[in-house]
Amino acid sequence: VEVPHVIYEERIIEVPQVERRELIRHVPVSRVQVVDKKVPRHMLQVTEKTVEVPTVITEEVPQETLEVVVVETITEVPKIQMLPVPVEVPKVVNLQIQERLEEVHTTLIEERVVEVPEPQVVEAFTQVVRPVVEYVDKEVPYVVTEAVERLQE
């Protein structure tokens, strides 16, 4: 987000004046004379020659490096609330206890926490100062100090 910022600057302005002058230029006149000059012509004959040159080939191998990434996680756990519910139970006076064993097959389920990646969209705003220069002509007073002579008796 650009925030406007106004800067006032005072400067001197020069006014150009046009002055006309006459310029006389002397130009030489050239005369062309053709002269033959003999130049040797060189012919090149190219032959192909194969030379084996040893070279070093470098092979790059990726290596794993440890990178620590700090991540903030939120784990939601259910909050247990207990509400007392009154239940009426009849009172039994004569009880005879009889023991009976009964085998019950049960399946134990173990739950584990699994991290699920969740993308998070974040908007970032950067504020940049954008200077706006405005020129203002300003009059400056010219102060002259004059001495005044006084006689004291």
Side-chain angles (χ1 to χ4, degrees):
V1 175
E2 293 187 356
V3 180
H5 182 72
V6 180
I7 300 173
Y8 294 99
E9 182 177 312
E10 298 175 357
R11 64 181 175 144
I12 298 172
I13 302 170
E14 295 181 354
V15 179
Q17 292 180 351
V18 178
E19 197 174 282
R20 301 257 181 217
R21 300 283 178 163
E22 186 177 322
L23 176 68
I24 299 173
R25 181 179 288 165
H26 297 283
V27 179
V29 176
S30 57
R31 201 171 36 126
V32 178
Q33 182 181 1
V34 178
V35 177
D36 291 337
K37 182 175 182 182
K38 293 185 178 183
V39 178
R41 181 176 174 195
H42 298 285
M43 295 290 290
L44 293 177
Q45 288 183 347
V46 179
T47 58
E48 185 176 328
K49 182 179 178 182
T50 305
V51 178
E52 292 185 3
V53 178
T55 59
V56 177
I57 298 176
T58 58
E59 180 182 355
E60 296 180 353
V61 179
Q63 250 182 347
E64 291 185 359
T65 58
L66 291 178
E67 181 179 343
V68 177
V69 177
V70 179
V71 178
E72 181 180 328
T73 60
I74 298 174
T75 304
E76 295 182 357
V77 179
K79 182 179 177 184
I80 299 174
Q81 294 182 347
M82 302 289 278
L83 294 174
V85 178
V87 177
E88 294 181 6
V89 178
K91 186 174 179 181
V92 178
V93 179
N94 290 331
L95 284 180
Q96 292 181 354
I97 299 175
Q98 208 175 22
E99 185 176 341
R100 185 175 76 180
L101 291 176
E102 188 176 317
E103 291 186 7
V104 178
H105 294 287
T106 61
T107 306
L108 293 178
I109 299 174
E110 181 181 349
E111 294 183 355
R112 294 184 182 174
V113 177
V114 177
E115 292 185 6
V116 178
E118 183 176 324
Q120 184 176 12
V121 179
V122 178
E123 293 183 7
F125 294 101
T126 304
Q127 291 186 350
V128 178
V129 176
R130 182 177 47 124
V132 177
V133 179
E134 187 175 307
Y135 295 105
V136 177
D137 294 335
K138 182 178 178 182
E139 295 181 2
V140 179
Y142 180 69
V143 180
V144 176
T145 306
E146 294 181 3
V148 178
E149 188 176 321
R150 246 192 223 170
L151 292 177
Q152 262 187 340
E153 294 181 7

